[in-house]
Amino acid sequence: MAETCTVNADSVAALFTTQQNLLYGMINKALPVAVPFINVLEKGTFPNATAATLTATIQGRAAPADDMVFPTFTDAVTKCDSCGDEIANGANQYIYQSRIKVIKSEKICFNSGFHAVKLSLISQFQALTQLVTEVINADVRAEMYRRSGVKAVVQAGVSPTAMIAGGYNQVDTPMPAIQSSARLTFGLLEKFAAYMRETLLVQTFGAGNGANLRFIAGWETLSNLRNDLGGAAGTSAVITPHSALAAG
């Protein structure tokens, strides 16, 4: 016997065509709070007719044609018809594919009465909102870990730069095959941040006096960093937890 209490997929599609905010609004409202990476990545939408293979073009840094420790210059009066040194400047292209994950909820029986159906529908939306948030959080974290071009393993008695693998203009750098023998301290975190800004020349969030880097970590790591800063002794050092998972 056919299942009479199952809604046809076409009917559901027609419903959400006119009531998209009923589901999407709930999920989008939860994402900025529960996914600490969502504001780090570039966001947007794909058109309906998406190609099988997509290309991302990343502008590279301009290669200096001079010594960056002691740059050299020429007297202006001697330069009348020279165009100067040619600066190499290129871009990298990365190929990727758009992906989708299809899920469905449990069956909702319309024979149970209006109020039962309403409560069941709301509970399914709430559960789906939580699940989608968790999946996006796990996916973004995993992709950033796999695709990153710079990774580090904290080691005792090792200089900060020696802990780092990868570098500028790299992607998919493998994690060094070595076990960590120390914890991340605030002093080491500062050295990593200095390496990112001075050697890798990473783009910061904000500009001027508001320029900053973001550090996302687990609760235990944040507690250790707070203790390094004297937070346990009641000083002015403050680390703000982000959804009990991360801090910026």
Side-chain angles (χ1 to χ4, degrees):
M1 179 181 295
E3 296 178 312
T4 58
C5 60
T6 301
V7 179
N8 184 278
D10 294 334
S11 301
V12 175
L15 171 64
F16 283 112
T17 298
T18 57
Q19 302 289 336
Q20 291 184 1
N21 287 336
L22 188 62
L23 178 61
Y24 300 150
M26 296 173 64
I27 295 177
N28 292 336
K29 186 183 296 184
L31 286 179
V33 177
V35 182
F37 306 99
I38 200 68
N39 291 325
V40 178
L41 302 178
E42 182 180 353
K43 296 176 288 295
T45 58
F46 287 105
N48 290 331
T50 303
T53 302
L54 304 172
T55 302
T57 301
I58 307 300
Q59 182 62 45
R61 277 161 42 186
D66 197 0
D67 185 355
M68 296 302 290
V69 179
F70 296 103
T72 59
F73 297 88
T74 304
D75 293 339
V77 295
T78 65
K79 287 291 185 180
C80 294
D81 57 357
S82 174
C83 296
D85 298 326
E86 181 177 341
I87 303 298
N89 190 14
N92 293 326
Q93 291 187 339
Y94 300 98
I95 306 300
Y96 67 100
Q97 292 81 30
S98 62
R99 296 181 298 170
I100 190 171
K101 188 177 186 67
V102 180
I103 59 175
K104 64 179 181 180
S105 68
E106 296 178 345
K107 298 176 183 178
I108 300 176
C109 184
F110 280 80
N111 296 330
S112 302
F114 173 77
H115 293 290
V117 172
K118 178 181 177 181
L119 293 176
S120 180
L121 188 61
I122 292 175
S123 65
Q124 292 283 5
F125 281 166
Q126 291 174 340
L128 185 61
T129 299
Q130 180 65 30
L131 175 61
V132 171
T133 302
E134 293 174 355
V135 171
I136 292 178
N137 189 33
D139 176 58
V140 175
R141 181 176 54 201
E143 284 297 308
M144 293 181 70
Y145 170 77
R146 286 195 294 258
R147 306 309 307 270
S148 64
V150 181
K151 293 182 173 69
V153 177
V154 178
Q155 295 287 303
V158 179
S159 65
T161 54
M163 303 178 192
I164 298 173
Y168 172 73
N169 213 24
Q170 297 187 33
V171 68
D172 294 338
T173 297
M175 179 63 74
I178 187 171
Q179 186 174 0
S180 176
S181 58
R183 75 169 181 85
L184 179 67
T185 64
F186 186 77
L188 179 57
L189 181 61
E190 276 194 312
K191 289 182 172 59
F192 284 154
Y195 180 84
M196 293 176 64
R197 301 190 73 161
E198 297 175 2
T199 303
L200 301 179
L201 298 181
V202 299
Q203 295 183 355
T204 59
F205 295 93
N209 293 333
N212 64 90
L213 300 176
R214 296 183 183 179
F215 174 67
I216 300 175
W219 188 268
E220 182 178 356
T221 299
L222 295 180
S223 296
N224 290 331
L225 296 179
R226 184 183 293 109
N227 292 335
D228 292 341
L229 291 170
T235 66
S236 59
V238 176
I239 297 180
T240 304
H242 188 115
S243 187
L245 292 176

